[in-house]
PDB file of all heavy atoms in Angstrom:
ATOM      1  N   VAL S  38     212.845 149.789 239.251  1.00 88.00           N
ATOM      2  CA  VAL S  38     212.124 151.014 238.824  1.00 88.00           C
ATOM      3  C   VAL S  38     213.104 152.159 238.886  1.00 88.00           C
ATOM      4  O   VAL S  38     213.222 153.071 238.058  1.00 88.00           O
ATOM      5  CB  VAL S  38     210.875 151.250 239.661  1.00 88.00           C
ATOM      6  CG1 VAL S  38     210.268 152.605 239.338  1.00 88.00           C
ATOM      7  CG2 VAL S  38     209.871 150.131 239.380  1.00 88.00           C
ATOM      8  N   LEU S  39     213.890 152.179 240.006  1.00 86.00           N
ATOM      9  CA  LEU S  39     214.863 153.278 240.179  1.00 86.00           C
ATOM     10  C   LEU S  39     215.898 153.257 239.066  1.00 86.00           C
ATOM     11  O   LEU S  39     216.351 154.240 238.518  1.00 86.00           O
ATOM     12  CB  LEU S  39     215.543 153.217 241.542  1.00 86.00           C
ATOM     13  CG  LEU S  39     214.617 153.618 242.741  1.00 86.00           C
ATOM     14  CD1 LEU S  39     215.368 153.449 244.021  1.00 86.00           C
ATOM     15  CD2 LEU S  39     214.163 155.001 242.531  1.00 86.00           C
ATOM     16  N   GLY S  40     216.287 151.994 238.725  1.00 84.00           N
ATOM     17  CA  GLY S  40     217.335 151.830 237.642  1.00 84.00           C
ATOM     18  C   GLY S  40     216.925 152.395 236.332  1.00 84.00           C
ATOM     19  O   GLY S  40     217.740 152.687 235.480  1.00 84.00           O
ATOM     20  N   MET S  41     215.609 152.584 236.141  1.00 84.00           N
ATOM     21  CA  MET S  41     215.097 153.036 234.839  1.00 84.00           C
ATOM     22  C   MET S  41     215.530 154.494 234.583  1.00 84.00           C
ATOM     23  O   MET S  41     215.512 154.950 233.437  1.00 84.00           O
ATOM     24  CB  MET S  41     213.580 152.960 234.854  1.00 84.00           C
ATOM     25  CG  MET S  41     213.118 151.727 234.243  1.00 84.00           C
ATOM     26  SD  MET S  41     211.403 151.784 234.119  1.00 84.00           S
ATOM     27  CE  MET S  41     210.901 150.378 234.998  1.00 84.00           C
ATOM     28  N   ILE S  42     215.904 155.168 235.677  1.00 83.00           N
ATOM     29  CA  ILE S  42     216.389 156.576 235.488  1.00 83.00           C
ATOM     30  C   ILE S  42     217.526 156.625 234.489  1.00 83.00           C
ATOM     31  O   ILE S  42     217.565 157.475 233.609  1.00 83.00           O
ATOM     32  CB  ILE S  42     216.765 157.109 236.843  1.00 83.00           C
ATOM     33  CG1 ILE S  42     215.558 157.258 237.733  1.00 83.00           C
ATOM     34  CG2 ILE S  42     217.431 158.530 236.681  1.00 83.00           C
ATOM     35  CD1 ILE S  42     215.884 157.632 239.153  1.00 83.00           C
ATOM     36  N   ARG S  43     218.402 155.610 234.577  1.00 82.00           N
ATOM     37  CA  ARG S  43     219.535 155.556 233.670  1.00 82.00           C
ATOM     38  C   ARG S  43     219.045 155.451 232.195  1.00 82.00           C
ATOM     39  O   ARG S  43     219.648 156.022 231.304  1.00 82.00           O
ATOM     40  CB  ARG S  43     220.426 154.390 233.989  1.00 82.00           C
ATOM     41  CG  ARG S  43     221.782 154.571 234.658  1.00 82.00           C
ATOM     42  CD  ARG S  43     222.584 155.651 234.121  1.00 82.00           C
ATOM     43  NE  ARG S  43     222.546 156.731 235.055  1.00 82.00           N
ATOM     44  CZ  ARG S  43     223.033 157.928 234.856  1.00 82.00           C
ATOM     45  NH1 ARG S  43     223.646 158.219 233.695  1.00 82.00           N
ATOM     46  NH2 ARG S  43     222.893 158.900 235.713  1.00 82.00           N
ATOM     47  N   ILE S  44     218.031 154.638 232.027  1.00 84.00           N
ATOM     48  CA  ILE S  44     217.552 154.479 230.626  1.00 84.00           C
ATOM     49  C   ILE S  44     216.946 155.775 230.110  1.00 84.00           C
ATOM     50  O   ILE S  44     217.153 156.165 228.972  1.00 84.00           O
ATOM     51  CB  ILE S  44     216.515 153.298 230.544  1.00 84.00           C
ATOM     52  CG1 ILE S  44     217.094 152.031 231.095  1.00 84.00           C
ATOM     53  CG2 ILE S  44     216.041 153.155 229.149  1.00 84.00           C
ATOM     54  CD1 ILE S  44     216.196 150.854 231.032  1.00 84.00           C
ATOM     55  N   VAL S  45     216.219 156.446 231.013  1.00 83.00           N
ATOM     56  CA  VAL S  45     215.574 157.637 230.564  1.00 83.00           C
ATOM     57  C   VAL S  45     216.585 158.737 230.272  1.00 83.00           C
ATOM     58  O   VAL S  45     216.545 159.407 229.210  1.00 83.00           O
ATOM     59  CB  VAL S  45     214.563 158.130 231.651  1.00 83.00           C
ATOM     60  CG1 VAL S  45     213.898 159.429 231.186  1.00 83.00           C
ATOM     61  CG2 VAL S  45     213.506 157.068 231.839  1.00 83.00           C
ATOM     62  N   TYR S  46     217.583 158.878 231.194  1.00 81.00           N
ATOM     63  CA  TYR S  46     218.472 160.065 231.051  1.00 81.00           C
ATOM     64  C   TYR S  46     219.733 159.830 230.341  1.00 81.00           C
ATOM     65  O   TYR S  46     220.586 160.638 230.152  1.00 81.00           O
ATOM     66  CB  TYR S  46     218.752 160.670 232.404  1.00 81.00           C
ATOM     67  CG  TYR S  46     217.489 161.322 232.985  1.00 81.00           C
ATOM     68  CD1 TYR S  46     216.805 160.743 233.990  1.00 81.00           C
ATOM     69  CD2 TYR S  46     217.021 162.521 232.399  1.00 81.00           C
ATOM     70  CE1 TYR S  46     215.606 161.308 234.461  1.00 81.00           C
ATOM     71  CE2 TYR S  46     215.849 163.114 232.924  1.00 81.00           C
ATOM     72  CZ  TYR S  46     215.167 162.484 233.969  1.00 81.00           C
ATOM     73  OH  TYR S  46     214.015 163.065 234.386  1.00 81.00           O
ATOM     74  N   GLY S  47     219.937 158.549 229.945  1.00 71.00           N
ATOM     75  CA  GLY S  47     221.071 158.237 229.070  1.00 71.00           C
ATOM     76  C   GLY S  47     222.410 158.400 229.791  1.00 71.00           C
ATOM     77  O   GLY S  47     222.683 157.659 230.670  1.00 71.00           O
ATOM     78  N   PRO S  48     223.310 159.305 229.354  1.00 79.00           N
ATOM     79  CA  PRO S  48     223.207 160.057 228.108  1.00 79.00           C
ATOM     80  C   PRO S  48     223.652 159.288 226.859  1.00 79.00           C
ATOM     81  O   PRO S  48     223.275 159.620 225.769  1.00 79.00           O
ATOM     82  CB  PRO S  48     224.148 161.253 228.350  1.00 79.00           C
ATOM     83  CG  PRO S  48     225.123 160.744 229.379  1.00 79.00           C
ATOM     84  CD  PRO S  48     224.487 159.705 230.191  1.00 79.00           C
ATOM     85  N   THR S  49     224.508 158.219 226.969  1.00 80.00           N
ATOM     86  CA  THR S  49     224.904 157.529 225.779  1.00 80.00           C
ATOM     87  C   THR S  49     224.198 156.216 225.656  1.00 80.00           C
ATOM     88  O   THR S  49     223.589 155.751 226.613  1.00 80.00           O
ATOM     89  CB  THR S  49     226.406 157.229 225.810  1.00 80.00           C
ATOM     90  OG1 THR S  49     226.684 156.274 226.785  1.00 80.00           O
ATOM     91  CG2 THR S  49     227.203 158.490 225.985  1.00 80.00           C
ATOM     92  N   VAL S  50     224.278 155.596 224.458  1.00 82.00           N
ATOM     93  CA  VAL S  50     223.586 154.318 224.250  1.00 82.00           C
ATOM     94  C   VAL S  50     224.082 153.294 225.201  1.00 82.00           C
ATOM     95  O   VAL S  50     223.367 152.429 225.680  1.00 82.00           O
ATOM     96  CB  VAL S  50     223.687 153.895 222.789  1.00 82.00           C
ATOM     97  CG1 VAL S  50     222.701 154.619 221.943  1.00 82.00           C
ATOM     98  CG2 VAL S  50     225.063 154.090 222.263  1.00 82.00           C
ATOM     99  N   ALA S  51     225.405 153.368 225.459  1.00 84.00           N
ATOM    100  CA  ALA S  51     225.987 152.297 226.304  1.00 84.00           C
ATOM    101  C   ALA S  51     225.410 152.360 227.701  1.00 84.00           C
ATOM    102  O   ALA S  51     225.130 151.290 228.291  1.00 84.00           O
ATOM    103  CB  ALA S  51     227.508 152.512 226.352  1.00 84.00           C
ATOM    104  N   ASP S  52     225.143 153.567 228.229  1.00 84.00           N
ATOM    105  CA  ASP S  52     224.551 153.659 229.511  1.00 84.00           C
ATOM    106  C   ASP S  52     223.239 152.898 229.559  1.00 84.00           C
ATOM    107  O   ASP S  52     222.903 152.182 230.510  1.00 84.00           O
ATOM    108  CB  ASP S  52     224.279 155.125 229.882  1.00 84.00           C
ATOM    109  CG  ASP S  52     225.564 155.829 230.176  1.00 84.00           C
ATOM    110  OD1 ASP S  52     226.413 155.253 230.933  1.00 84.00           O
ATOM    111  OD2 ASP S  52     225.750 156.958 229.691  1.00 84.00           O
ATOM    112  N   ARG S  53     222.472 153.166 228.488  1.00 86.00           N
ATOM    113  CA  ARG S  53     221.123 152.591 228.449  1.00 86.00           C
ATOM    114  C   ARG S  53     221.195 151.074 228.348  1.00 86.00           C
ATOM    115  O   ARG S  53     220.481 150.345 229.048  1.00 86.00           O
ATOM    116  CB  ARG S  53     220.413 153.107 227.190  1.00 86.00           C
ATOM    117  CG  ARG S  53     220.270 154.588 227.220  1.00 86.00           C
ATOM    118  CD  ARG S  53     219.100 155.084 226.457  1.00 86.00           C
ATOM    119  NE  ARG S  53     218.811 156.458 226.791  1.00 86.00           N
ATOM    120  CZ  ARG S  53     219.036 157.482 226.042  1.00 86.00           C
ATOM    121  NH1 ARG S  53     219.458 157.311 224.808  1.00 86.00           N
ATOM    122  NH2 ARG S  53     218.820 158.709 226.499  1.00 86.00           N
ATOM    123  N   MET S  54     222.160 150.569 227.560  1.00 86.00           N
ATOM    124  CA  MET S  54     222.271 149.132 227.401  1.00 86.00           C
ATOM    125  C   MET S  54     222.624 148.515 228.764  1.00 86.00           C
ATOM    126  O   MET S  54     222.144 147.454 229.175  1.00 86.00           O
ATOM    127  CB  MET S  54     223.327 148.848 226.396  1.00 86.00           C
ATOM    128  CG  MET S  54     223.292 147.453 225.822  1.00 86.00           C
ATOM    129  SD  MET S  54     221.793 147.154 224.903  1.00 86.00           S
ATOM    130  CE  MET S  54     221.490 145.501 225.385  1.00 86.00           C
ATOM    131  N   MET S  55     223.617 149.184 229.459  1.00 86.00           N
ATOM    132  CA  MET S  55     224.046 148.645 230.735  1.00 86.00           C
ATOM    133  C   MET S  55     222.936 148.647 231.776  1.00 86.00           C
ATOM    134  O   MET S  55     222.760 147.682 232.514  1.00 86.00           O
ATOM    135  CB  MET S  55     225.187 149.495 231.345  1.00 86.00           C
ATOM    136  CG  MET S  55     226.506 149.380 230.561  1.00 86.00           C
ATOM    137  SD  MET S  55     226.980 147.635 230.436  1.00 86.00           S
ATOM    138  CE  MET S  55     227.364 147.251 232.097  1.00 86.00           C
ATOM    139  N   ALA S  56     222.061 149.714 231.697  1.00 87.00           N
ATOM    140  CA  ALA S  56     220.947 149.761 232.627  1.00 87.00           C
ATOM    141  C   ALA S  56     220.030 148.614 232.351  1.00 87.00           C
ATOM    142  O   ALA S  56     219.532 147.932 233.261  1.00 87.00           O
ATOM    143  CB  ALA S  56     220.188 151.068 232.469  1.00 87.00           C
ATOM    144  N   ALA S  57     219.821 148.305 231.078  1.00 87.00           N
ATOM    145  CA  ALA S  57     218.921 147.191 230.742  1.00 87.00           C
ATOM    146  C   ALA S  57     219.496 145.861 231.241  1.00 87.00           C
ATOM    147  O   ALA S  57     218.740 145.006 231.735  1.00 87.00           O
ATOM    148  CB  ALA S  57     218.714 147.126 229.249  1.00 87.00           C
ATOM    149  N   GLN S  58     220.811 145.735 231.155  1.00 87.00           N
ATOM    150  CA  GLN S  58     221.431 144.512 231.623  1.00 87.00           C
ATOM    151  C   GLN S  58     221.242 144.375 233.170  1.00 87.00           C
ATOM    152  O   GLN S  58     220.937 143.294 233.637  1.00 87.00           O
ATOM    153  CB  GLN S  58     222.884 144.508 231.280  1.00 87.00           C
ATOM    154  CG  GLN S  58     223.181 144.263 229.836  1.00 87.00           C
ATOM    155  CD  GLN S  58     222.622 142.960 229.381  1.00 87.00           C
ATOM    156  OE1 GLN S  58     222.871 141.921 229.984  1.00 87.00           O
ATOM    157  NE2 GLN S  58     221.831 142.969 228.354  1.00 87.00           N
ATOM    158  N   LEU S  59     221.376 145.524 233.845  1.00 86.00           N
ATOM    159  CA  LEU S  59     221.205 145.491 235.275  1.00 86.00           C
ATOM    160  C   LEU S  59     219.836 145.110 235.632  1.00 86.00           C
ATOM    161  O   LEU S  59     219.558 144.291 236.546  1.00 86.00           O
ATOM    162  CB  LEU S  59     221.523 146.906 235.796  1.00 86.00           C
ATOM    163  CG  LEU S  59     221.918 147.041 237.262  1.00 86.00           C
ATOM    164  CD1 LEU S  59     223.260 146.313 237.432  1.00 86.00           C
ATOM    165  CD2 LEU S  59     222.006 148.488 237.638  1.00 86.00           C
TER     166      LEU S  59
END
Side-chain angles (χ1 to χ4, degrees):
Chain S
V38 175
L39 287 180
M41 267 186 237
I42 295 173
R43 253 315 105 189
I44 302 182
V45 177
Y46 291 106
T49 69
V50 279
D52 289 316
R53 301 208 163 109
M54 197 67 217
M55 289 308 291
Q58 287 301 308
L59 203 65

